[in-house]
Amino acid sequence: MNATEPTSNRNALDLARQVLSIEAKAVEALIGRLDDKFTSALQLILHCRGRVVVSGMGKSGHIARKIASTMASTGTPAFFVHPGEASHGDLGMITADDVLIALSNSGESPELLTILPIVKRRGAKLIAMTGNPASSMAREADVHLDVSVAQEACPLGLAPTASTTAALALGDALAIALLDVRGFGAEDFARSHPGGALGRRLLVHVGDLMHSGDTLPKVPETALLTEALLEMSRKGLGMTAVVGDSDRLLGLFTDGDLRRALDKTFDIRAARVAEVMTRNPRTIGPDKLAAEAVQMMDQHKVNGLLVVDADDRLVGALNMHDLLRAGVV
């Protein structure tokens, strides 16, 4: 067995390279076939008053689900309908205001051909993505997109491989072209992905994470240094704000200020916090993105920020642990 392993591995690598080459050529061939039909499909979707419905059977169905998901997350409301289930009631999901994108390599999928005439009579527009421009689906379509391939990557020529890759790539091309025309940006994308890392970076604001009220460490400028230390210990942020009248921010006292104070020759028990605090500390507004707070902390090598309003009044405090817990970092 050991003697045959190197040969077996070489054969596997050669076959894998061949598969990737065939599929890459299938996608590359689509570039030369893009024409006005693609822009016609784009216009049908852009002028759609309803939603984009994507459907396909078997492996084409899996690709259809991915296309619908990509469109939905990039600004084009879309969903998948199984053609078999459509014949048993789910056809009611499709309205006259919708656009149906139907996928079938042969263009002769019986499950799709059963529902397409009904969809057309209902008034919905049809975009067919097939590998056969002379197929029944291509003839029924308002717009036909040719996703034919020279060969499948499967050495038996049976398993859909290159054909499904080509269909997926053309679906991505449609989705991204729609994204661009609609002016769909990063913040729009984040609103569709509030649970993801991008959503947290673009949707979470400082005001959502900051400590405020009773959890906000602050002392008056007249406070003794020992009182400031007690406030820091109680609130557990490693810092305390020093405020004047109406909570106007005057300074910041941190662990670092304490270490520097210990180097000085004065009575720590009698000293006031205003003598050793950092004046004009770096601050951020509550309406700023939490990601901006991360950037400020990284840039200035600090672990916390005070949050102030437009009148420089203290409203909150934030440290790196808060950002880590929220998944912003």
Side-chain angles (χ1 to χ4, degrees):
M1 182 180 291
N2 291 337
T4 62
E5 279 183 2
T7 301
S8 181
N9 289 341
R10 283 197 297 272
N11 290 342
L13 287 172
D14 289 342
L15 182 58
R17 293 186 182 104
Q18 183 180 356
V19 169
L20 294 175
S21 176
I22 290 171
E23 298 207 10
K25 288 175 181 175
V27 173
E28 189 174 6
L30 293 175
I31 298 172
R33 290 206 301 270
L34 284 182
D35 55 18
D36 291 343
K37 291 181 180 179
F38 182 87
T39 54
S40 295
L42 198 67
Q43 291 302 316
L44 274 184
I45 297 172
L46 285 171
H47 292 100
C48 169
R49 292 179 298 173
R51 295 173 183 264
V52 175
V53 184
V54 195
S55 189
M57 195 69 191
K59 303 298 186 294
S60 292
H62 295 302
I63 299 302
R65 285 183 187 274
K66 167 58 170 63
I67 292 172
S69 177
T70 300
M71 286 186 172
S73 69
T74 53
T76 299
F79 62 94
F80 171 80
V81 168
H82 191 287
E85 297 296 336
S87 295
H88 295 275
D90 283 2
L91 200 57
M93 297 179 180
I94 306 174
T95 73
D97 293 329
D98 297 333
V99 170
L100 173 64
I101 302 178
L103 279 69
S104 169
N105 188 41
S106 68
E108 302 294 345
S109 173
E111 294 85 358
L112 282 168
L113 290 176
T114 297
I115 66 171
L116 292 189
I118 303 169
V119 170
K120 293 280 289 182
R121 283 199 297 272
R122 190 164 288 178
K125 299 297 183 183
L126 171 62
I127 299 170
M129 292 173 58
T130 82
N132 182 3
S135 64
S136 301
M137 281 178 54
R139 291 194 300 270
E140 287 276 351
D142 295 286
V143 178
H144 175 252
L145 298 177
D146 182 1
V147 289
S148 59
V149 297
Q151 65 179 119
E152 295 288 8
C154 168
L156 302 176
L158 299 175
T161 44
S163 58
T164 49
T165 299
L168 178 60
L170 192 60
D172 284 344
L174 262 179
I176 300 307
L178 289 163
L179 173 152
D180 183 65
V181 173
R182 295 184 194 280
F184 189 87
E187 288 193 15
D188 300 304
F189 189 87
R191 279 188 282 272
S192 298
H193 300 73
L198 178 63
R200 289 190 291 272
R201 288 197 300 271
L202 294 181
L203 296 180
V204 177
H205 292 80
V206 169
D208 300 324
L209 303 178
M210 70 184 188
H211 298 265
S212 60
D214 292 338
T215 65
L216 174 60
K218 64 177 180 178
V219 294
E221 61 180 319
T222 56
L224 293 172
L225 180 56
T226 52
E227 292 175 309
L229 290 172
L230 286 173
E231 179 71 352
M232 286 171 60
S233 297
R234 281 194 296 265
K235 302 301 170 64
L237 294 185
M239 64 180 178
T240 183
V242 182
V243 297
D245 295 337
S246 302
D247 273 352
R248 196 170 301 279
L249 182 64
L250 299 177
L252 171 69
F253 182 70
T254 68
D255 293 333
D257 293 312
L258 174 61
R259 288 192 296 273
R260 286 185 288 274
L262 293 174
D263 289 336
K264 297 180 179 179
T265 55
F266 64 92
D267 186 353
I268 290 180
R269 292 187 176 277
R272 298 196 179 277
V273 68
E275 299 174 46
V276 292
M277 70 181 182
T278 298
R279 296 184 180 274
N280 302 312
R282 293 181 179 85
T283 61
I284 194 168
D287 57 335
K288 296 295 185 181
L289 289 172
E292 294 181 67
V294 174
Q295 185 179 21
M296 283 185 65
M297 290 183 191
D298 284 343
Q299 180 182 353
H300 299 292
K301 304 294 189 295
V302 296
N303 292 318
L305 290 171
L306 295 176
V307 186
V308 297
D309 65 14
D311 295 318
D312 213 30
R313 287 192 293 263
L314 180 72
V315 295
L318 186 72
N319 70 13
M320 187 62 77
H321 295 296
D322 302 316
L323 299 166
L324 286 167
R325 279 193 296 270
V328 177
V329 179

